[in-house]
Each structure stands twice: as structure tokens, then as C-alpha cells.
Amino acid sequence: VSQSIEEVRNITRNLRPYQIDRLGLTKAIQSAAKNITESGALRIETSIDSIDGLFPPECEIHLYRVVQECLNNILKHAGAATARLSVRRSQECVSIEVEDDGRGFDYRRATSGQGDSQGLGLSSLAERIRILDGRMECKSSAGQGARLNFEVPIPKKHE
């Protein structure tokens, strides 16, 4: 019973990362990158504008998960030494750019279900961005690393 309760707690915590509520979205994103860098698995250079309070809570989760999925994909698949995470805020939108110096990949092949990967991480990213009415662009080629760009419009003030 104790194990089941702990599993439910973990699932609940993962639905809305506690860092967003405790730190705000900006610091939660910074913390995710910092934790990876401190683990020694990957060096991540960050440049992150404040984006707290721009999105309703459910949208904040999607934005956080987009960044988290990008960083996890780099860790799992890229073989990169360095990554760069940029979050920029303008009047109309938030732009996120994630770039790495890893092995790169064929985006069409990865999302078509061919080869070793079924592209679920990339499909998940695309779906989250679609939910946010944003757009996603991926540039990658073998041996040249990868760069993913996301633009998400800032919604009119939410309650």
C-alpha cells in the first residue's frame, strides 16, 4: 500500500512539476538546465528571458515539458558535449531555441516511424506546440547537430 501511495504521489507531482509553482516558469526552466549541467552529462549554455505570468497554468506545463523533452532528447540521442537553450520574449510571442553539437538526425525519417526511433519525443513536442497555437521548426543533419525553434503566441491576459 505504501508503495502504491508513493507511486500516485510521484505521478501527481509529474503532472504539474512543483518547480513551476515554487519557483515560477522561468526559474523552473533554468533549474532543469542547471541540473543537467551539474550532473556532468552535458554543458548547457542558457539565455532565458523572464516569462512568468504570461501563460495560464496548463500552458506553462506544456512550455516546461517542451524544454524538458528537448533536453532529454539531447541527453539520450545526440551524443553532444554542449547544448544551447534560449528563451526570448517579445510583445507577441515567446521563442524557444534549443541547439546541440551532437550527431544530428534526419527529421523526416525520425518522425515517419522509419529506422530505430518512432519519433514519439518529436511528435510529443509538435503536439504540445500545436496545443499552444505555436509553430515548430527543426534543422538537423547527420554530424551537424540539431536546432529546434518554437514560437508560441502570448495569449491575451488570462484569469
Side-chain angles (χ1 to χ4, degrees), residues 123-143:
S123 297
S124 171
L125 288 173
E127 179 62 14
R128 287 184 187 278
I129 293 300
R130 186 196 63 76
I131 289 168
L132 295 167
D133 292 325
R135 68 176 192 84
M136 173 179 159
E137 179 183 22
C138 177
K139 292 182 180 177
S140 183
S141 58

Side-chain angles (χ1 to χ4, degrees), residues 32-105:
K34 182 180 175 186
N35 289 341
I36 291 170
T37 295
E38 287 178 350
S39 76
L42 177 69
R43 192 174 122 246
I44 303 174
E45 301 167 359
T46 60
S47 177
I48 302 173
D49 291 347
S50 177
I51 57 172
D52 295 331
L54 296 179
F55 297 92
E58 65 275 5
C59 293
E60 288 183 333
I61 294 169
H62 287 301
L63 286 169
Y64 178 81
R65 295 291 187 209
V66 163
V67 171
Q68 185 181 47
E69 181 69 25
C70 287
L71 297 178
N72 285 337
N73 283 346
I74 294 169
L75 282 172
K76 285 195 263 186
H77 306 294
T82 304
R84 190 173 58 82
L85 168 63
S86 171
V87 179
R88 292 281 161 251
R89 172 186 177 176
S90 71
Q91 292 284 61
E92 299 84 28
C93 72
V94 168
S95 300
I96 300 170
E97 182 175 281
V98 183
E99 186 174 12
D100 69 70
D101 63 0
R103 66 177 59 96
F105 63 94

